[in-house]
Amino acid sequence: MTEWNYLQVVLSNGDLDRVSGEFWLLGTQGIEETSLGGDQVQLRAYFDGRSDIRKLADQFQSFCREAGIELFTLQVRIEKDQDWAKRFNQQLKPFRVGKRIYILPSHDKTHVPSSRVPIRIGPGMAFGTGTHETTQLCLEQLETHLKSGGTVIDVGTGSGILAIAAVRLGAARAIGFDIDPVAIEVAQANVRRNRCQSRVQLIEGEVTVRRSVRCDLLVANLTFELLDEKIADFSRLLLPDGVMILSGILVAQAAQLLDKHPVLAQHLQVRKQKGEWSCLVVHSPLK
C-alpha cells in the first residue's frame, strides 16, 4: 500500500492563504483544511512518500519565520492512501464554479442543474479537486476562452479536471501531460468517471513541441519557476489566434513573470485574481 508523507500545522485563519500557497509551492499533492473553532485552523499537506519530508519541514519553517507567521503546532507524519480516500468522500461537497461548471465527488447523487456541466472527481493524491483558487481561475477562463471543436493541451494535468472540463465545455479533444505517474493514474480514473475517454488523452512526461500537436488553447496551472522556464515552448504549441491560460502563481509572481517576458505583457488580454493567486490569459501565438 502506498504511503504519503504529510505536514500538519495549526495556525491562525489570517495566515491560511499564505501558508496554503507555500505548501503548493513546495509541491504538495493535496491539502486538507479543518476548522478548529475560534481563530484557528488545521492544515494537512500531503507529499509523495519518496519526498524528503524533513527537508520540506525545514523549508516550510524557514518560510514561516521570514514571513512572521506563527505556527501553534507542526507535525510530520506518514499516512496510508486509503485514509485519504475515506476523508475525501466525507469532506468534498458539491459546489459551483463560474457560470456553467458543477463539481461533485464521484459518489455524490446530488441533482445537477440543467444549466450546469457536471464534473465528477474521485479520491486521489493528485492536485485538482477544484477547490483551490488557481484551479477555479483556470476553469472560469476555460468557460470564456474555449473554442468549441478545438484542441486543448493541459500541462501538469494533476487530477485531469481541466482536461475533462475542456471537453465537457465543447473542445473536440484535450491532451493532458504530467510527469507524475500517480497523477496520470488518478486522471485516467476521473476521465472514466466522466465518460470522456474518447476525447481526453493522457501522457506521462514533459510536454514538448516535437511530440505534441498544436492547440487552440493551452492551460498550465504550474509554479512560477516552471512557467518561467517553459513559456517559450508553450507559445510554440499555439495555433494562430490561440490562447494560453497560465495560473499557479501568486500575485507578485504574476507581475514578475510579465516583467521577465515582455511579450506576455504585450499580448495579455485578461488578468484575474482570487485571494493571493493570479491567472493570466494571453492571446495570439508568441514568438
Side-chain angles (χ1 to χ4, degrees):
M1 182 177 296
T2 304
E3 291 184 341
W4 297 92
N5 294 324
Y6 71 81
L7 298 178
Q8 180 172 294
V9 298
V10 175
L11 63 152
S12 296
N13 280 308
D15 295 319
L16 179 60
D17 283 346
R18 287 190 295 168
V19 168
S20 296
E22 181 63 15
F23 278 145
W24 291 118
L25 292 175
L26 287 173
T28 184
Q29 307 240 325
I31 298 176
E32 288 182 6
E33 176 183 329
T34 305
S35 175
L36 301 180
D39 185 46
Q40 292 189 356
V41 62
Q42 174 185 284
L43 291 183
R44 181 177 291 184
Y46 289 84
F47 297 87
D48 189 292
R50 296 165 293 184
S51 62
D52 186 342
I53 194 65
R54 295 293 177 185
K55 181 178 179 180
L56 289 171
D58 289 343
Q59 292 174 327
F60 176 71
Q61 286 180 298
S62 295
F63 161 78
C64 290
R65 282 194 298 269
E66 293 173 6
I69 294 173
E70 180 184 3
L71 299 178
F72 300 115
T73 66
L74 169 62
Q75 297 175 305
V76 178
R77 292 287 187 271
I78 295 174
E79 180 166 297
K80 306 295 185 181
D81 57 359
Q82 66 178 10
D83 297 325
W84 164 273
K86 180 179 179 180
R87 279 199 305 278
F88 175 94
N89 288 329
Q90 294 172 342
Q91 294 183 2
L92 183 64
K93 305 300 181 185
F95 63 100
R96 303 173 186 227
V97 177
K99 297 179 179 179
R100 298 180 57 194
I101 294 170
Y102 197 90
I103 297 174
L104 62 168
S106 55
H107 70 283
D108 197 283
K109 304 301 182 183
T110 301
H111 171 72
V112 179
S114 59
S115 60
R116 292 272 167 173
V117 174
I119 299 177
R120 297 186 178 275
I121 299 296
M125 293 303 299
F127 172 73
T129 60
T131 58
H132 194 263
E133 289 94 334
T134 59
T135 309
Q136 293 182 12
L137 284 164
C138 289
L139 289 169
E140 290 167 358
Q141 296 310 310
L142 274 175
E143 286 186 341
T144 302
H145 299 282
L146 184 72
K147 182 183 294 185
S148 181
T151 297
V152 172
I153 289 178
D154 175 18
V155 185
T157 195
S159 68
I161 188 171
L162 297 178
I164 294 165
V167 298
R168 296 303 303 270
L169 290 169
R173 64 170 172 162
I175 307 169
F177 289 85
D178 208 297
I179 62 173
D180 183 355
V182 174
I184 293 297
E185 291 178 8
V186 171
Q188 287 172 337
N190 284 326
V191 166
R192 290 191 295 270
R193 289 183 179 98
N194 289 275
R195 300 179 182 178
C196 49
Q197 300 97 309
S198 64
R199 291 193 290 158
V200 176
Q201 179 184 4
L202 298 169
I203 298 175
E204 181 183 337
E206 297 276 3
V207 58
T208 65
V209 176
R210 289 191 302 275
R211 73 185 295 181
S212 306
V213 297
R214 298 179 75 192
C215 61
D216 301 282
L217 186 150
L218 181 144
V219 57
N221 190 13
L222 302 170
T223 64
F224 168 82
E225 290 76 14
L226 286 173
L227 291 177
D228 182 35
E229 176 186 353
K230 301 290 187 181
I231 197 68
D233 289 340
F234 294 167
S235 67
R236 286 192 285 269
L237 295 171
L238 290 179
L239 290 165
D241 199 31
V243 177
M244 282 196 295
I245 300 173
L246 310 175
S247 194
I249 47 179
L250 298 167
V251 173
Q253 292 175 327
Q256 187 178 353
L257 192 68
L258 292 170
D259 286 342
K260 291 188 68 174
H261 301 275
V263 70
L264 285 181
Q266 179 184 352
H267 293 278
L268 182 67
Q269 297 293 312
V270 177
R271 185 173 179 175
K272 293 288 186 180
Q273 177 180 340
K274 279 185 184 289
E276 292 191 325
W277 299 95
S278 274
C279 179
L280 307 176
V281 179
V282 183
H283 279 249
S284 79
L286 308 178
K287 304 299 181 185

